[in-house]
Amino acid sequence: MEIKKFINKKPYIISGPCSAESEEQLLNTAKSLKGKINVFRAGVWKPRTKPNSFEGVGKEALFWLQKVQNETGLKVITEVATAKHVELCLNAGIDMLWIGARTTVNPFYVQEISEALSGVNIPVFVKNPIHPDISLWIGALERLNNKGITKLSAIHRGFFTYESSAFRNEPKWELPIELKRKLPDLPIICDPSHISGNRKLIGDISQTAMDLDMNGLMIESHINPKKALSDVNQQLTPTELQNLLDSLIYRKRKSEDEKILSELKYLREKIDTIDEGIVSVLKNRKQFVEEIAQIKLKHNVTIFQLERWFQILNSRQRQATEIGLDPKMISDIYKLIHKYSILTQSKIMRKD
Ligand code: PEP
Ligand code: MN
């Protein structure tokens, strides 16, 4: 993928209301954010989960965004979900576009948007799809790239989960990390507003994003958050946004200090040795799993044993708690170990 650098500042800050509600709300918010941010955001067409919620004012708001450009000099960005939206935005001179989580999931729409944009190389930000499917996320970026759009960035806005969670959308940080591994040149902006759904958590999530070396933040900000017509619990006032940005610690990517470098090297070597141990212990474990599979095969016994699985999970979690390790981490690790143990056994039992 050919990616052209267009983000030249770190952290790159995109902020503005969830939705453009009125000319006054938009201009007042933008004027208060001027000087604090790099790009002003506002949703013109809002993809809402349920009908009868506020679905945005539509194309009329594009004039208000033009006013923001003229009166504040800020660059503006909005969400597009169809080719028609793209056409209207391009005619209105909107500087940048983003594709929302509910659109990234749909290759037909992404293709249509890409085609509407071909030949117009404006920056496009692609939010992750609602579910944690990294190929779909990359696929959307590729569709745009195939039409000549090179000023691309990803936006990490978290993932829907059925499990109970403190977040509106689970961050699953391993996904943006994996995206970075696959596309090292692609900038990634974190959207703590949609991850948290709660203004109190935005600071912590933003700090994590900075510590993971993400390129910037997209944070919702409204001149009067309590009166917002959408996402009322997650918007900050412009002053709160400024305080939050001031409170973040921006760490450097690498230390140049020789002493620190050698200290890190020493500790990393310790970790490497321990990790080699972990891998070879897993190999030993697998040998016993294979022996068990042979016995199960011979005596016609099912692979999966519910009671044994509960016993493994409970005892390992208990041990973790006793020695001060996070039992959830151990349970996650054992779920994986168990999955592969079942795979090993089913391979043996099918073959013979
Ligand atoms: C938004 O940015 O307001 C929005 C609708 O985001 P998402 O697509 O991440 O839900
Ligand atoms: Mn929103």
Side-chain angles (χ1 to χ4, degrees), residues 333-345:
I333 291 173
Y334 267 92
K335 280 178 191 160
L336 266 182
I337 291 179
H338 187 245
K339 173 182 148 180
Y340 283 95
S341 157
I342 284 181
L343 276 177
T344 302
Q345 294 183 60

Side-chain angles (χ1 to χ4, degrees), residues 18 41 46 168 194 220 230-231 234:
C18 177
R41 66 151 277 159
K46 298 303 300 177
R168 179 179 175 191
H194 290 89
E220 287 184 340
S230 57
D231 287 350
Q234 68 188 37

